[in-house]
Amino acid sequence: MEFEDKNLKTVVKKAAKAMKVPVENLKYEVLSYGSTGIFGLVGAKKAKIRVIAPKAESDVQKTTDVPKKKATKKTVTDWVKKESVPLQDSAETVDEKKSDADSDSPESEGIDPVAIELGLTVTKKIVDKITDGATVRVEEKNGQVFFHVEGGKTAVLIGKRGQTLEAIQYIVDRIVNKKSESRTRIQIDVAGYLENKKTNLEQRALHLAGKAKKIGKPVTVGELNVYDRKIVHMCLKENKDVRTQSMGSGFYRKLVIFPKKGAVTKRNKK
């Protein structure tokens, strides 16, 4: 049976009540962790789980000699194969390429000055509605346009865990690329926030990659937006011991680091 609700905690309680079992005894498989989306308006998604009825689960256990731990591993593996795209060792997986924001389609020669001017105008208008005294500087680098915002109430522009900044980025990107034949890659930063975030995310990715190799099991980085996922993908692209994969759909997706075969440490082999 499948259940869904606004977040994982509430859907688990809902399922436990329906199945008449304690929450701690509920056996379930997460199909979607859900997300609030941007400002709760765009990309919102409910959490969803699949629950196996106690009787059905006991019947399955009777027909197999596989220990419970191994059965759990098999279930997780089966779920990954069923719910996600084919596993690949590339820096960006197939499901990432399906997203407009993730598109790696060839850029046109040079950036359209009209797109830059439009992006600058929209960014300034949004920023001015949020705070006073902020300035926006434009930079073109590697076929991408950067809008650097300085001054004003930077904490308000960034928002909790960068969610306001993500929303501004999303809106400007959509407006600029709405009718454009060739996509203009846009990045908005406030007081160097994204640069610091990138450094911290890369350090975290390297740490979790080492952990995945050590324990010989997949490690979840968390649910990240498209820009953060790309940072992790690129950071571990040349790593010979692990591969990265995004799972799910929508603006926020779960990113998992998988150890490659033969990359398990000696300690783990013992």
Side-chain angles (χ1 to χ4, degrees):
M1 296 178 66
E2 294 181 359
F3 298 84
E4 62 178 18
D5 213 313
K6 60 182 180 180
N7 56 52
L8 187 60
K9 186 176 180 180
T10 55
V11 75
V12 170
K13 287 183 177 180
K14 180 179 179 179
K17 183 177 181 180
M19 303 299 289
K20 297 181 180 180
V21 297
V23 172
E24 60 271 16
N25 294 338
L26 187 70
K27 304 295 181 182
Y28 62 91
E29 176 182 311
V30 180
L31 302 181
S32 169
Y33 284 84
S35 65
T36 56
I38 299 175
F39 287 154
L41 300 174
V42 181
K45 188 177 181 182
K46 289 185 177 182
K48 190 174 183 180
I49 63 174
R50 178 181 293 134
V51 179
I52 300 176
K55 289 184 179 180
E57 185 180 40
S58 62
D59 291 339
V60 171
Q61 291 176 349
K62 289 178 182 179
T63 59
T64 178
D65 294 325
V66 180
K68 189 173 183 181
K69 274 190 175 181
K70 292 184 179 179
T72 303
K73 289 180 182 178
K74 185 174 184 297
T75 301
V76 173
T77 303
D78 290 342
W79 174 73
V80 170
K81 289 180 180 178
K82 181 179 179 182
E83 298 296 331
S84 63
V85 298
L87 304 184
Q88 300 181 10
D89 293 339
S90 59
E92 186 174 348
T93 54
V94 175
D95 69 323
E96 293 281 83
K97 293 178 182 178
K98 291 181 180 179
S99 168
D100 289 339
D102 277 313
S103 175
D104 281 336
S105 57
E107 305 293 335
S108 59
E109 293 183 5
I111 302 172
D112 184 359
V114 176
I116 296 176
E117 187 63 31
L118 176 60
L120 179 61
T121 300
V122 174
T123 303
K124 280 183 175 180
K125 284 187 176 181
I126 295 175
V127 169
D128 288 343
K129 291 291 184 181
I130 298 175
T131 183
D132 296 324
T135 60
V136 183
R137 175 174 57 87
V138 182
E139 178 187 10
E140 294 182 46
K141 185 178 179 181
N142 300 326
Q144 187 170 0
V145 183
F146 294 85
F147 295 118
H148 299 282
V149 182
E150 299 289 344
K153 297 180 180 179
T154 56
V156 178
L157 289 170
I158 295 170
K160 185 178 180 181
R161 292 189 296 181
Q163 288 184 341
T164 303
L165 180 56
E166 287 178 14
I168 297 173
Q169 165 87 37
Y170 182 88
I171 293 169
V172 175
D173 184 278
R174 290 304 184 191
I175 291 175
V176 172
N177 291 291
K178 185 176 181 181
K179 296 182 179 179
S180 177
E181 293 183 1
S182 60
R183 184 171 181 274
T184 301
R185 298 171 60 198
I186 294 172
Q187 183 74 71
I188 300 175
D189 195 4
V190 175
Y193 170 79
L194 290 184
E195 192 60 36
N196 293 331
K197 184 180 181 182
K198 179 183 177 183
T199 300
N200 294 333
L201 196 55
E202 287 175 338
Q203 292 176 349
R204 183 183 175 194
L206 292 172
H207 170 72
L208 292 178
K211 181 179 179 181
K213 176 186 175 182
K214 182 178 180 180
I215 66 176
K217 297 178 181 179
V219 176
T220 302
V221 180
E223 288 194 327
L224 307 176
N225 62 41
V226 58
Y227 311 104
D228 292 347
R229 292 197 303 271
K230 279 194 172 183
I231 291 173
V232 177
H233 284 317
M234 297 307 296
C235 177
L236 301 178
K237 180 180 179 181
E238 304 299 328
N239 193 310
K240 298 179 180 180
D241 298 321
V242 299
R243 54 183 169 78
T244 58
Q245 180 183 347
S246 297
M247 296 181 177
S249 60
F251 191 77
Y252 293 94
R253 299 182 191 176
K254 184 179 178 183
L255 194 147
V256 183
I257 300 175
F258 291 87
K260 292 182 180 178
K261 291 182 179 179
V264 183
T265 59
K266 293 181 179 180
R267 180 183 176 186
N268 202 43
K269 284 182 178 179
K270 292 178 182 180

